[in-house]
Amino acid sequence: MCMDLDFKKMDGLVTAVIQDHASKRVLMVGFMNEEAFRKTVETGFATFYSRSRKKLWLKGESSGHRLVVKSIETDCDRDAVLVKVEAQGPGVCHEGYESCFFRRLEDGDWQVSETRTYDPESVYGGKS
Amino acid sequence: MCMDLDFKKMDGLVTAVIQDHASKRVLMVGFMNEEAFRKTVETGFATFYSRSRKKLWLKGESSGHRLVVKSIETDCDRDAVLVKVEAQGPGVCHEGYESCFFRRLEDGDWQVSETRTYDPESVYGGKS
């Protein structure tokens, strides 16, 4: 096993870009420490490190919207990973959208560029 | 103008995911400080902040392989941007590949999963 990544540049974390394996849409960006990365590889479900909560975070642990890993790539300097996934459930974003990238820059303002795919209240019950 | 992003979480930086606007391939991940983000918006060429060199970095300034901005999206917590681009030149990665994500995890090892699209020596002359 030689899965070395460069966790030193960002205080023990690498950037993790999550992309839908079929549509190729970028769904979210998170961070993984070494343990989260290993969990992701071993379990086949994308697992992150939450900087705000300072703990591992299995995406979908409360919503059920897990991310099934299809492939993992790393970049030239090994401080980022690109995880191609099959997203379970109607959306990845806790605000009710398919992708966390639901706002586009239009004439200097961020504009919501799509409609929700689910009601976040019914899934998260007020907590994100 | 209300292009506010959350630069506080990562010492003045946001994550910038660069995606080919046509093929939807993720080409690279970089970081932008507020100035780099504004330059990106104003010039229409992706501009980053180099953490190692501690200065702005117009992608393609030495190679000519610039990234022409097609659209910019931000995520729910506004600490990352997704920049869809048209890449000028044969490749984005200074190692000679179309994308910096040219290695895939296969049975616990990172394997180069594609061939180079140009000779980095002839473009960068030994410097990256």
Side-chain angles (χ1 to χ4, degrees):
Chain A
M1 297 273 277
C2 179
M3 303 193 304
D4 286 354
L5 293 172
D6 184 352
F7 290 99
K8 294 190 298 290
K9 275 194 210 159
M10 202 160 41
D11 298 328
L13 303 176
V14 294
T15 308
V17 178
I18 306 298
Q19 184 178 33
D20 187 285
H21 80 112
S23 73
K24 297 192 173 177
R25 181 161 191 195
V26 174
L27 299 175
M28 60 174 284
V29 171
F31 296 93
M32 293 180 182
N33 63 4
E34 191 157 6
E35 189 183 358
F37 176 68
R38 288 193 173 275
K39 287 265 186 196
T40 298
V41 172
E42 288 166 13
T43 65
F45 293 105
T47 305
F48 302 93
Y49 180 79
S50 167
R51 294 176 297 172
S52 55
R53 289 179 282 165
K54 294 188 170 52
K55 63 171 193 170
L56 286 200
W57 163 49
L58 169 67
K59 173 68 184 163
E61 65 192 357
S62 53
S63 66
H65 303 166
R66 294 193 185 195
L67 302 172
V68 181
V69 175
K70 294 292 185 177
S71 70
I72 305 178
E73 293 159 49
T74 192
D75 67 349
C76 41
D77 50 4
R78 299 187 185 211
D79 62 358
V81 291
L82 173 62
V83 184
K84 292 180 183 160
V85 303
E86 181 179 327
Q88 296 181 326
V92 160
C93 183
H94 72 286
E95 292 196 26
Y97 296 92
E98 183 195 12
S99 163
C100 291
F101 292 93
F102 59 83
R103 275 182 301 227
R104 182 173 300 177
L105 195 63
E106 308 272 5
D107 300 324
D109 256 326
W110 297 110
Q111 302 285 352
V112 173
S113 50
E114 57 192 85
T115 54
R116 284 195 165 93
T117 53
Y118 71 95
D119 172 15
E121 279 289 319
S122 70
V123 171
Y124 292 100
K127 64 189 166 104
S128 62
Chain B
M1 297 273 278
C2 179
M3 303 194 304
D4 287 356
L5 293 171
D6 184 353
F7 291 98
K8 294 190 299 288
K9 274 194 209 158
M10 202 161 41
D11 298 329
L13 303 175
V14 294
T15 307
V17 178
I18 306 298
Q19 184 178 33
D20 186 285
H21 79 112
S23 72
K24 296 190 172 179
R25 182 161 190 196
V26 174
L27 300 175
M28 61 175 284
V29 171
F31 296 93
M32 294 180 182
N33 62 6
E34 193 159 5
E35 189 183 359
F37 175 68
R38 287 193 173 274
K39 287 265 186 197
T40 298
V41 173
E42 288 165 13
T43 66
F45 293 106
T47 305
F48 302 94
Y49 179 80
S50 167
R51 294 176 297 171
S52 55
R53 289 179 283 164
K54 295 188 170 52
K55 63 171 193 171
L56 286 200
W57 163 50
L58 169 67
K59 173 67 184 165
E61 65 192 357
S62 54
S63 66
H65 303 166
R66 294 192 185 195
L67 302 172
V68 180
V69 174
K70 294 292 186 178
S71 69
I72 305 178
E73 291 158 50
T74 192
D75 66 348
C76 42
D77 50 4
R78 298 187 185 213
D79 62 357
V81 291
L82 173 63
V83 185
K84 292 181 182 160
V85 302
E86 181 180 326
Q88 296 181 326
V92 160
C93 183
H94 72 284
E95 293 195 25
Y97 295 91
E98 183 196 11
S99 164
C100 292
F101 292 93
F102 59 84
R103 275 182 302 229
R104 182 174 299 176
L105 195 63
E106 307 270 5
D107 301 325
D109 256 325
W110 296 111
Q111 302 284 351
V112 173
S113 51
E114 57 192 86
T115 55
R116 284 194 166 91
T117 52
Y118 71 96
D119 173 15
E121 279 290 320
S122 69
V123 171
Y124 293 98
K127 64 189 166 104
S128 63

